[in-house]
Amino acid sequence: MRSAGLRFFEGSTEEKVRYACDPKAPASEGYGSRMLAKEDGVLDWRDYFDHHTLPESRRNPSRWPEVPANYRSTVVEYSNQMKILAQRLLVMVSESLNLPPSYIENAIGEVYQNITISYYPPCPQPDLALGLQAHSDMGAITLLIQDDVGGLEVLKDGKWVIAQPISDAIIVILADQTEVITNGEYKSSVHRALVNAHRARLSVATFYDPSKTRKISPAPQLIAENTPRKYREVLYGDYVSSWYRQGPEGKRNIDALLMAQQ
Ligand SMILES: O=C(O)CCC(=O)C(=O)O
Ligand SMILES: [Fe+2]
């Protein structure tokens, strides 16, 4: 998966532009670039390719690069394997809270899976830019692989901790809807990507999300007198829209669902 992605990003600009997505449309499929300065001076320094992979009705490999020759079949195989892994992990989360094994899976409903390859070119002034600003992922669970360059950082107890690259590791990033469904028992993780002055970096994030028409709310079994309900119900599509409207900035989107904010 990583080498197929690398081959695309290191290929010609013409080839990339052929697959360009609409940068203004949220969650559009294809190639995009965010080499942008924002008003506050922070630069986003990232190229990406989004693939819509599940449900299968959204999966259209003809919209994905055809070079290298195994690109499309690799994405399909990777998508299928990541679905199985995400399901297993969500069963473990459900069981750890004494919920029925498929509780979270059922709460999500029909799964929308997207695979995003991010490519961060070397950045001459890495201290002035971030590859990707601090955010939590908006869906249920994200599975991420990175290369040996490193740059993914996770916020832990108020400090940024580097996720050391381990070649065969898959990093599990719990996302906002799992925090809502578990009523805050599991927290979505705040993370960001740094850039490197000398080397390009590549990562592949597989997002596992509810459909936009799904209403998400805390499991009633987890609400009790000493663990009161933390989040109000949200239509996932509304959540996604507000995320794109406001931008990520740490956990501000999930914080807006706190009961006290009602
Ligand atoms: O490139 C990375 O390591 C992080 C990517 C990421 O967090 C995302 O795409 O949501
Ligand atoms: Fe992320």
Side-chain angles (χ1 to χ4, degrees):
M1 189 66 218
R2 285 180 294 215
S3 59
L6 196 59
R7 167 70 184 74
F8 173 78
F9 282 103
E10 291 185 340
S12 71
T13 308
E14 288 88 331
E15 182 69 6
K16 283 182 245 180
V17 169
R18 260 181 64 199
Y19 295 100
C21 63
D22 176 358
K24 286 186 209 80
S28 76
E29 187 166 19
Y31 168 74
S33 185
R34 294 260 166 82
M35 300 287 176
L36 290 177
K38 296 197 305 184
E39 312 83 64
D40 58 7
V42 180
L43 283 169
D44 265 357
W45 194 265
R46 180 173 83 111
D47 279 2
Y48 56 92
F49 199 109
D50 278 336
H51 312 72
H52 295 174
T53 44
L54 285 175
E56 283 191 30
S57 56
R58 294 169 74 231
R59 199 189 263 177
N60 182 354
S62 70
R63 298 207 200 103
W64 310 337
E66 51 188 342
V67 179
N70 66 348
Y71 190 104
R72 293 172 179 174
S73 58
T74 302
V75 173
V76 167
E77 171 68 10
Y78 190 72
S79 153
N80 294 339
Q81 294 297 329
M82 289 302 110
K83 176 187 179 190
I84 295 168
L85 181 56
Q87 281 172 328
R88 274 203 206 154
L89 289 162
L90 292 178
V91 164
M92 288 166 71
V93 172
S94 298
E95 286 180 333
S96 74
L97 297 173
N98 290 324
L99 294 168
S102 47
Y103 187 89
I104 297 177
E105 192 74 26
N106 291 342
I108 293 169
E110 185 173 38
V111 166
Y112 276 61
Q113 185 201 57
N114 296 301
I115 298 180
T116 300
I117 306 180
S118 294
Y119 180 81
Y120 307 92
C123 176
Q125 287 187 288
D127 44 333
L128 294 184
L130 274 177
L132 192 58
Q133 60 185 301
H135 66 284
S136 55
D137 294 345
M138 58 186 132
I141 189 169
T142 306
L143 299 172
L144 186 113
I145 55 175
Q146 56 175 342
D147 60 17
D148 63 339
V149 176
L152 174 67
E153 288 192 329
V154 179
L155 195 61
K156 184 171 188 300
D157 304 327
K159 291 202 179 86
W160 288 108
V161 178
I162 189 96
Q164 293 296 348
I166 302 173
S167 66
D168 291 330
I170 297 173
I171 298 170
V172 177
I173 300 176
L174 287 186
D176 293 343
Q177 304 317 306
T178 298
E179 177 163 340
V180 172
I181 294 166
T182 65
N183 200 37
E185 290 291 322
Y186 280 85
K187 307 269 186 265
S188 61
S189 94
V190 177
H191 52 285
R192 66 180 186 182
L194 306 182
V195 280
N196 189 288
H198 309 289
R199 292 181 64 193
R201 170 170 179 264
L202 184 125
S203 72
V204 182
T206 306
F207 302 100
Y208 195 84
D209 301 343
S211 84
K212 292 196 177 162
T213 56
R214 195 76 178 174
K215 287 181 180 157
I216 303 292
S217 53
Q221 297 93 315
L222 299 177
I223 297 169
E225 211 175 331
N226 55 350
T227 52
R229 178 175 181 150
K230 275 185 82 178
Y231 299 104
R232 62 190 163 81
E233 180 176 87
V234 66
L235 182 71
Y236 186 62
D238 290 347
Y239 194 78
V240 173
S241 310
S242 83
W243 203 99
Y244 278 106
R245 207 168 42 243
Q246 304 193 77
E249 210 169 287
K251 292 186 86 158
R252 81 162 151 206
N253 289 292
I254 188 168
D255 286 349
L257 297 180
L258 287 166
M259 294 300 275
Q261 308 287 315
Q262 233 171 352

